Amino acid sequence: MSDVIVFKGAVTYPITLDPTVWVFDDRKFDLNAYTGEDDPALSKQMQYLQGTGTQWDKELREGAQLPSERKSLAEERKVLEGDYGIRLDPFIANAAPLPEATHVRLHRESQEPIVLPISEARRAILQFAKAGKPIKEDGPVYFYLPEVLLNKEAPITGITALEFFSA
């Protein structure tokens, strides 16, 4: 089993992803709370903007206070117990597929590769943690399209590389 995923083929920047470090990424989200209604990144951005506005108003009324630096123990434990995922689209954007690239081939460790249009791959969600632990069996990630995740269907497993190409 591979612990990393390689982006190769018709890309400007071939990259290697290490899903074990995504637990520290702010773009991660809890898959158990996923509803498919909106992009969690946009939701977080809206929460951030609303929280910033509320804090600004509070500081105008009451004056500034020093922030609490330590997360609560419950918040720290929650990170160690959940099923987490991250969207694939930002990584595809970082690899910068060449204009002629139209499809992506998901190379899998012990199975036939799967071919998807890049537009479908951009919608994908990669599960990188199950019960707070990195995915070892059939990992390092489980590949879901949003509708598959919502219907609790089986993910695509054993991905070792994403190869971009023109069909």
Side-chain angles (χ1 to χ4, degrees), residues 37-52:
E37 292 178 6
D38 57 356
D39 185 352
L42 294 176
S43 172
K44 282 187 177 183
Q45 184 178 13
M46 287 304 296
Q47 289 174 354
Y48 171 77
L49 291 174
Q50 289 173 346
T52 302

Side-chain angles (χ1 to χ4, degrees), residues 19-59:
T20 60
V21 299
W22 291 343
V23 73
F24 303 110
D25 196 314
D26 290 337
R27 297 172 293 185
K28 74 177 182 295
F29 56 94
D30 187 354
L31 291 177
N32 295 323
Y34 180 73
T35 61
E37 292 178 6
D38 57 356
D39 185 352
L42 294 176
S43 172
K44 282 187 177 183
Q45 184 178 13
M46 287 304 296
Q47 289 174 354
Y48 171 77
L49 291 174
Q50 289 173 346
T52 302
T54 303
Q55 183 67 25
W56 176 267
D57 292 342
K58 179 182 175 195
E59 287 181 13

Side-chain angles (χ1 to χ4, degrees), residues 71-81:
K71 286 184 180 179
S72 73
L73 188 57
E75 288 176 347
E76 290 179 7
R77 277 204 181 124
K78 183 181 175 199
V79 170
L80 300 175
E81 296 172 354

Side-chain angles (χ1 to χ4, degrees), residues 55 65-72 75:
Q55 183 67 25
Q65 296 177 354
L66 292 176
S68 170
E69 292 184 23
R70 179 104 166 105
K71 286 184 180 179
S72 73
E75 288 176 347

